[in-house]
């Protein structure tokens, strides 16, 4: 039976950072984005407010900034190798993130079978962000169910990889999970735990089992 591997982006595939922080760095606004990351992590603001504020922060954003942020980001090692291995084995891999879809969807070029993020307007922004298109923790489970139907698997065939509170619902919904450089919100919830900068090593915890 095929399995579906579901990967978080911020703090998981991206080591110690988030897509909004990396994008904001290209605009000289890293400190502002880090403050917003702290606010959402501590529960002071929710995903819609976060999205609205980063949208405002990125008034001058261009595709060139997004490309530079993607290429310079501190990715875990061997992401493409893991996804190629999964594909060879007949498994599926998908990225589901609260970060902007225009960044997340670039990972299909690395071999992800699907990539979902919060819906933002096209860059450069000519319209506001729609709060209805902003994902939250519960949305990750809904998207996982949709992907299961698309790929012909069930929740019982899923493996989740994540690092924080936004992954808590998904970790509770699937039988196998890997906490990757995780914070306290996932303590005691994950099947496996990994600290490091190589996705293959995290994947091997599942592969060996």
């Amino acid at each position: 039976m095929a399995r579906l591997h579901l990967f978080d982006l911020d703090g998981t595939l991206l080591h110690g950072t988030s897509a909004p922080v990396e994008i904001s760095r290209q605009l000289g606004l890293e400190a502002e984005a880090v403050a917003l990351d702290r606010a959402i992590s501590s529960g002071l603001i929710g995903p819609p407010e976060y999205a609205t504020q980063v949208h405002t922060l990125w008034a001058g954003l261009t595709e060139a900034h997004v490309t530079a942020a993607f290429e310079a980001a501190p990715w875990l090692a061997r992401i493409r190798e893991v996804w190629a291995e999964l594909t060879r084995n007949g498994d599926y891999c998908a990225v589901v993130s609260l970060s902007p879809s225009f960044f997340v969807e670039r990972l299909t070029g690395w071999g992800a079978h699907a990539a979902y993020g919060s819906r933002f307007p096209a860059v450069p922004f000519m319209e506001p962000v729609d709060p209805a298109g902003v994902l939250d923790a519960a949305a990750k489970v809904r998207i996982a169910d949709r992907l299961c139907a698309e790929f012909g698997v069930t929740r019982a065939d899923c493996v989740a990889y994540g690092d924080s509170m936004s992954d808590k619902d998904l970790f509770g919904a699937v039988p196998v999970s890997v906490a990757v450089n995780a914070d306290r919100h996932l303590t005691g919830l994950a099947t496996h735990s990994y600290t490091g900068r190589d996705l293959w090593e995290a994947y091997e915890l599942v592969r060996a089992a």
Side-chain angles (χ1 to χ4, degrees), residues 83-182:
W83 293 351
E85 167 86 356
L86 293 176
T87 300
R88 282 194 299 271
N89 291 342
D91 286 350
Y92 300 98
C93 49
V95 183
V96 186
S97 170
L98 275 57
S99 277
S101 55
F102 60 74
F103 190 95
V104 182
E105 289 169 359
R106 288 172 175 250
L107 287 165
T108 58
W110 284 13
H113 294 101
Y116 287 87
S118 294
R119 290 198 307 273
F120 271 64
V123 176
F125 299 145
M126 301 298 290
E127 55 190 81
V129 64
D130 180 0
V134 177
L135 303 186
D136 58 14
K140 288 193 171 187
V141 179
R142 293 195 298 272
I143 291 170
D145 285 340
R146 192 186 314 158
L147 289 169
C148 282
E150 180 180 341
F151 296 133
V153 299
T154 69
R155 284 190 188 182
D157 307 310
C158 290
V159 182
Y161 303 74
D163 76 302
S164 66
M165 183 167 58
S166 71
D167 304 300
K168 194 171 181 179
D169 288 4
L170 187 58
F171 272 40
V174 304
V176 180
S177 55
V178 184
V180 179
N181 299 313

